[in-house]
């Protein structure tokens, strides 16, 4: 995994895990990789992975079954969508809209690009 300067690494790990759930690569109620194993896999401290797991657990995306491990919460997808939409609408969309205005990019042009993106990246993979 290649990390960016921001957001914090534990957030990047949490977002990666959320993406796996939204893409249905990790299924509801499925056991997930241990903190130690994920730390070794992405070559970071288990403490950083623990922060990512705590972050996801607080948002009811994963659940800890004591002595067994962590599992995908049955409501994970719904909780991820709610959290990610909120983050997108509050932090990412305003910058995008500002740039569209400044660069005089029409919403119809963006809509066409969006449809092409979905077709090329997701519709053929079902």
């Amino acid at each position: 995994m290649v990390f960016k300067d921001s957001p914090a690494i534990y957030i990047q790990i949490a977002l990666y895990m959320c993406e796996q759930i939204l893409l249905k690569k990790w299924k509801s109620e499925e056991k997930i990789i241990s903190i130690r194993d994920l730390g070794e896999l992405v070559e970071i401290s288990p403490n950083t992975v623990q922060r990512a797991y705590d972050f996801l657990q607080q948002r009811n995306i994963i659940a800890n079954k004591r002595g067994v491990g962590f599992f995908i919460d049955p409501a994970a997808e719904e909780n991820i969508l709610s959290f990610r939409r909120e983050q997108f609408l509050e932090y990412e969309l305003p910058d995008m809209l500002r740039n569209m205005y400044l660069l005089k990019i029409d919403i119809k042009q963006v809509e066409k690009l969006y449809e092409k993106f979905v077709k090329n990246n997701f519709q053929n993979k079902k």
Side-chain angles (χ1 to χ4, degrees):
M1 191 168 176
V2 178
F3 296 106
K4 302 174 190 171
D5 290 336
S6 119
I9 291 175
Y10 81 94
I11 297 289
Q12 293 178 58
I13 293 168
L15 292 174
Y16 166 79
M17 294 171 72
C18 289
E19 187 173 290
Q20 300 308 300
I21 295 166
L22 292 177
L23 291 171
K24 310 270 192 251
K25 291 182 180 179
W26 296 2
K27 310 280 190 251
S28 179
E29 301 186 57
E30 181 177 86
K31 185 175 182 185
I32 59 173
I33 190 169
S34 73
I35 291 169
R36 184 174 308 282
D37 289 345
L38 183 57
E40 288 176 11
L41 185 68
V42 296
E43 299 177 346
I44 59 166
S45 160
N47 292 336
T48 303
V49 177
Q50 178 68 54
R51 287 185 69 191
Y53 279 46
D54 289 344
F55 179 85
L56 295 172
Q57 205 172 357
Q58 290 170 0
R59 284 157 184 78
N60 298 317
I61 294 168
I62 64 172
N64 184 7
K65 293 184 181 177
R66 194 174 197 112
V68 181
F70 287 91
F71 292 79
I72 305 297
D73 191 282
E77 188 172 341
E78 181 181 315
N79 293 335
I80 293 167
L81 289 173
S82 176
F83 170 70
R84 293 294 310 272
R85 283 181 185 136
E86 179 183 305
Q87 294 293 302
F88 177 77
L89 293 172
E90 186 172 341
Y91 298 109
E92 297 174 45
L93 187 60
D95 286 339
M96 187 178 109
L97 294 173
R98 180 176 186 274
N99 285 327
M100 286 175 60
Y101 175 79
L102 292 171
L103 300 172
K104 297 177 180 18
I105 297 172
D106 184 68
I107 194 75
K108 291 180 178 97
Q109 183 181 1
V110 173
E111 185 178 0
K112 287 178 188 174
L113 291 170
Y114 173 78
E115 289 170 1
K116 182 179 177 183
F117 173 81
V118 170
K119 181 181 178 191
N120 292 338
N121 291 283
F122 299 108
Q123 290 181 346
N124 297 330
K125 298 185 180 189
K126 289 184 178 179

